[in-house]
Amino acid sequence: VPRLDSKTSLKGGEMDYLLTDEQKMIQELARKIADEKIRPVAAKYDQSEEFPWEIMQILAQSDLFAIFVPQEYGGMGAGVLDLCIATEELSRACGGIAVCYAASALGTFPIVLFGNEEQKKKYLPDLASGKKIAAFALTEPEAGSDASAIKTTAKKEGNYYVLNGTKHFITNGAEASTYTVIAMTDKTRGARGASAFIVEKGTPGFTFGKKEEKLGIRASVTSELIFTDCKIPQENLLSKEGLGFIVTMKIFDKSRPGVAAQALGIAQGALDAAVKYAKERQQFGKSISSFQGIQWMLADMATEIEAARALIYSCAREIDAGGKDVGKDSAMAKMFASDVAMKVTTDAVQILGGYGYMKDYPAEKFMRDAKITQIYEGTNQIQRNIIALNLIREAAK
C-alpha cells in the first residue's frame, strides 16, 4: 500500500500552483491510488452500489484520513487545500468512491473545530487512522435547502439528551461509526434553537432506514438515520446549545471547496477520457482530434477546468490562512466548479458520440457523478443567494 513517503512523478503539462513539498506528496500519492487501486474497480462499485471498504482501508493505510486531523490527535494537521488536492485526485478515477472519503472529513470537521478537549481525544484518533469513518447529518425529508425547517428534536433529560426524528440523504449513512447530528433543542427559537451532537453507531434508539438508489456516486452509500428515544450523554453536545446552525454554516464554509474539488476531479477525469478517445477515434480517414470542432470543445473544457482549479485553490488557501469570512468565496468555488463539471462531462459524452452513452466507456459515469455536485451541500441556486447577499452586505459597509 502506498504511503505519504511514496515517490511518483506528476504528469506533465500542469500549471504550477506553488504547492509545498508535502502537498505535492499528497497529490502524487492520491493520484497513484486513484490510478492503480480505484480506476480498475470504479465500474464494479458503480454497478453493485457496495460501499468500497477495500478502498477505504487503502486510504487509511496510506494516511490520507490523517490529513484533516490535528497532529496532537494522530493527524497531519494539514489544511483545506491539502484535503482538496487529495479529493480532486481520487475523483479523477471515481467521484462516488472519493465522496466516501470526503464525507468522512465533513463529519470530522465539527469535532476538529468545535469539539472540546475530551471529545477530540475520544473521537479524532480513530478518525485520523481511518479505523472509523464519520458522517454529517443535517438534511431531513422536509428540510433541504431550508435547513432551519428540521424537525429532529433533542430534549434534555437529566444528564442525557433524547433524540427523536429522521435524517435522510446522509452520505456514508449506515457505514459510518461517528455522526455529527443537528437537532432542535428549542423549537421556539427557530434556527437559533438548533444544536449539534456527536452520536455513535450502536447507541440504543439509533437505527437506519432506506438505502437510496441514485443516478450517480453509486459507490457511496446514502441512507436514512432514524432516532427513536435515542439517549446520548450530555457531554456529546458540540459547542453550546443553540449554536447548531452556526456550527453548520462554519463547517460548510470549509467543506464546500471539497465538493468543488470533487467536481473538479470528475471534470478532469472526463476531459482525460475525451482527449484519449479523440486521438484514437478515426473518422473520414483521420483522428477526430484533428477536427476544429472537436479541438475547440477540448480547449474550452480545459480552460474552464483550469479556471475552476485556480478558484478552488485560492479559496482553500484563504481558509487555511484564517481571519477572513470565506462564505462568499467558498460558495463561488462550489458553484463554479460544479457547473463546470456538468458542462465538461456532458461535452465529453458528446465527443465520444454513441460510445459516450454506453457503460463500456467512462464518460457517462462521469456525467452521472457530476450532477450531484450541483445539488448537495447547498444547491447552486442557494450558492448564488449566498454570493449575492454577501455582495450586497459588503456594498452597504
Side-chain angles (χ1 to χ4, degrees), residues 3 8 37 56 61 79 111 113 119 128 172 178 183 199 217 221 232 284 306 333 379:
R3 296 180 69 85
T8 59
K37 304 296 184 180
M56 294 302 105
Q61 292 165 18
I111 303 173
L113 296 175
Q119 291 167 339
N172 284 351
T178 305
V199 182
I217 60 164
V221 169
I232 61 170
F284 306 104
E306 212 57 69
T379 66

Side-chain angles (χ1 to χ4, degrees), residues 125-148:
D126 282 347
L127 294 170
S129 69
K131 182 179 177 181
K132 295 181 179 179
I133 64 170
F136 184 78
L138 171 67
T139 304
E140 298 185 2
E142 295 182 26
S145 294
D146 182 9
S148 64

Side-chain angles (χ1 to χ4, degrees), residues 95-107:
I97 291 175
V99 78
C100 301
Y101 166 76
S104 189
L106 175 62

Side-chain angles (χ1 to χ4, degrees), residues 272-283 285-290 294 298 351-352 355 361:
D272 293 345
V275 171
K276 182 177 184 293
Y277 180 86
K279 289 170 65 178
E280 296 172 352
R281 176 66 167 169
Q282 297 284 319
Q283 289 288 275
K286 53 186 176 181
S287 164
I288 66 169
S289 65
S290 66
I294 299 295
L298 294 173
I351 289 170
L352 269 69
Y355 291 107
Y361 288 77

Side-chain angles (χ1 to χ4, degrees), residues 44-56:
K44 181 192 82 169
Y45 281 110
D46 180 63
Q47 184 175 18
S48 69
E49 297 184 272
E50 297 174 53
F51 189 82
W53 275 116
E54 179 183 355
I55 304 298
M56 294 302 105

